[in-house]
Amino acid sequence: VVVLVWVVGGIISLFGALAIAELGALMPRAGGQYVFLREAFSPLWGFLYGWTAFVVIISGSISAIAVAFATYLGYFFPMDSLAIKTVAIASILFLTVINCFGVKLGAMVQNGFTFVKIAALGALILLSFLLSGGSAANFSPLLPSVPASSLLGSILVAMIAVLWAYDGWIEITFVAGEVIQPEKNIHRSLLLSTAIVVALYVAINLGYIYVLGLEKISQSQLVASDAATVLMGPTGAAFVVAAVVISTFGANNGFIITGARIYYAMAKQRLFFRPFASVHAYYSTPIPSLLGQGIWASVLVLTGTYEQLFTYVVFASWVFYAMACGAVFILRKRWPERDRPYRTWGFPYTSIIFILFASVLVVSSIWQNPKDSLIGIGMIVSGIPMYLFWSGKIRNADRVS
């Protein structure tokens, strides 16, 4: 059942990527989902996504991953909770500054860290089954002994964490305006990268179960290093922890690169803080947007735990993922004559399944975590007065002109 959660979460994420790939190829502009929702529904819905991305979806992801980075770094340099938060904030600000010096530098950093993380995961997957220490008995019993109905709530809660781990498949659309041959490369990168991540996550969890068993996994705070300790001793654990530190550091670099482009796109349309619309004359990067995102993400590090942050992130983001998938239906009807370099595979069935699943996830989040879900709803709704404020300023400026 644990493996099934990872498989189902991966398939659902892939179905979402199939739909977003069509929208990204159709509208290869900076902002991604902000652009899709604005065109399909209304400027308000586009703004609410962008606002929520800034308040929690992207910034919250950056914060949660930074905390994970600092926590794993604590394997080498023991730290208390304050030190972990300090290191997390320092990592956010460091990556933010790097990305101020051009998208090419940020992309080089991203490519390097991505290579290392995939290599490390691949090595751990192979070693889990090649070295002694694991046991096929850890896969028994194959099915739970309790009724499946009693596990449903737990499975849905677990799915929140799984889908947060898969999250990121939409990021390429945020920088679509800077992608070479976007009509070809956006949907290729979306589908191929999502498929690779699904394969890696399912395989590594099979390895964890083979080496540790579910009981030890449930009690572990550093699962990868614990598995490596069983296989290779302290040296192996240190190597894997180092790889996880590099992986989380690289993951945050990706969020920082892409997230800032959403707020830049909003500010260009005068629907966000005006300085965020500025681009550096030499580096061509939205430095105010990058800095604003980094500062807010650092504030979030101080205000919420890792678990709380990703609960807010998953709940809020999946409301908008469902809407973005629905945008495929709306825009096909509204713009039937538009050239679509890529059309969603399995449409409409894959899109319907994704929307239904997203709806179930959102409802179950409210049911299982009402407090955190209400906070997530509040963060979305908090964008309405901000939209009225900025859109009012636009109308007044237009009247004057």
Side-chain angles (χ1 to χ4, degrees):
V1 174
V2 169
V3 175
L4 183 63
V5 171
W6 283 98
V7 172
V8 171
I11 292 172
I12 294 300
S13 297
L14 186 58
F15 284 177
L18 290 169
I20 297 301
E22 176 173 328
L23 298 175
L26 178 66
M27 296 174 282
R29 287 178 269 163
Q33 202 165 349
Y34 163 71
V35 176
F36 309 154
L37 297 178
R38 179 183 177 89
E39 295 292 345
F41 294 94
S42 71
L44 171 62
W45 282 109
F47 175 84
L48 288 179
Y49 169 72
W51 173 259
T52 311
F54 179 76
V55 172
V56 67
I57 296 175
I58 302 295
S59 300
S61 292
I62 292 170
S63 302
I65 293 173
V67 171
F69 161 79
T71 300
Y72 268 86
L73 193 63
Y75 179 90
F76 300 108
F77 310 101
M79 294 180 279
D80 58 21
S81 60
L82 179 59
I84 287 174
K85 290 181 178 181
T86 302
V87 171
I89 291 171
S91 71
I92 292 170
L93 299 180
F94 177 75
L95 287 171
T96 296
V97 170
I98 284 180
N99 281 282
C100 288
F101 291 99
V103 70
K104 286 187 178 181
L105 177 60
M108 287 173 60
V109 172
Q110 188 63 31
N111 290 340
F113 282 111
T114 298
F115 176 80
V116 171
K117 76 173 77 171
I118 290 177
L121 269 177
L124 187 56
I125 290 166
L126 291 175
L127 294 175
S128 296
F129 296 101
L130 293 178
L131 297 182
S132 60
S135 173
N138 288 335
F139 291 103
S140 298
L142 191 63
L143 297 175
S145 57
V146 297
S149 58
S150 66
L151 293 175
L152 183 59
S154 298
I155 289 173
L156 290 173
V157 171
M159 190 66 73
I160 292 175
V162 165
L163 291 171
W164 186 77
Y166 280 122
D167 202 18
W169 46 267
I170 198 172
E171 302 295 313
I172 184 65
T173 63
F174 299 155
V175 292
E178 298 165 84
V179 173
I180 298 172
Q181 293 186 297
E183 69 282 355
K184 294 181 180 179
N185 291 326
I186 288 178
H187 71 266
R188 287 176 181 174
S189 63
L190 264 166
L191 304 183
L192 182 60
S193 60
T194 303
I196 290 171
V197 171
V198 171
L200 285 170
Y201 276 172
V202 172
I204 194 63
N205 278 277
L206 287 170
Y208 290 155
I209 295 172
Y210 183 72
V211 174
L212 296 176
L214 290 179
E215 184 175 352
K216 289 183 179 178
I217 289 174
S218 68
Q219 297 170 357
S220 173
Q221 294 297 313
L222 303 173
V223 178
S225 61
D226 288 347
T229 300
V230 172
L231 295 170
M232 297 173 281
T235 302
F239 170 78
V240 169
V241 171
V244 173
V245 168
I246 292 170
S247 175
T248 49
F249 196 72
N252 247 358
N253 186 69
F255 276 113
I256 288 168
I257 289 176
T258 55
R261 271 64 183 181
I262 302 174
Y263 327 128
Y264 163 75
M266 294 169 66
K268 287 286 286 184
Q269 295 179 331
R270 297 182 290 172
L271 284 172
F272 210 60
F273 303 106
R274 289 303 299 272
F276 282 37
S278 300
V279 175
H280 193 275
Y282 180 77
Y283 297 112
S284 299
T285 52
I287 290 180
S289 185
L290 283 162
L291 294 177
Q293 173 183 255
I295 292 169
W296 179 242
S298 299
V299 171
L300 290 181
V301 168
L302 300 173
T303 59
T305 66
Y306 182 96
E307 291 81 5
Q308 285 175 324
L309 284 172
F310 83 63
T311 301
Y312 302 156
V313 167
V314 171
F315 175 83
S317 61
W318 277 78
V319 170
F320 293 108
Y321 284 162
M323 294 183 67
C325 197
V328 177
F329 292 86
I330 295 171
L331 295 179
R332 280 198 180 190
K333 185 175 181 180
R334 184 179 300 165
W335 299 337
E337 75 290 348
R338 292 276 185 97
D339 179 45
R340 286 171 168 77
Y342 170 80
R343 298 177 74 89
T344 303
W345 179 86
F347 186 86
Y349 306 107
T350 52
S351 297
I352 290 172
I353 291 172
F354 182 85
I355 293 170
L356 289 174
F357 186 89
S359 301
V360 170
L361 181 70
V362 170
V363 171
S364 68
S365 296
I366 296 173
W367 179 261
Q368 297 288 338
N369 299 293
K371 180 182 176 181
D372 289 345
S373 298
L374 286 173
I375 293 173
I377 293 172
M379 289 176 174
I380 296 173
V381 173
S382 69
I384 294 177
M386 301 306 298
Y387 175 78
L388 295 175
F389 170 74
W390 274 307
S391 60
K393 289 186 68 175
I394 293 173
R395 287 193 296 271
N396 290 335
D398 290 342
R399 286 196 201 100
V400 171
S401 61

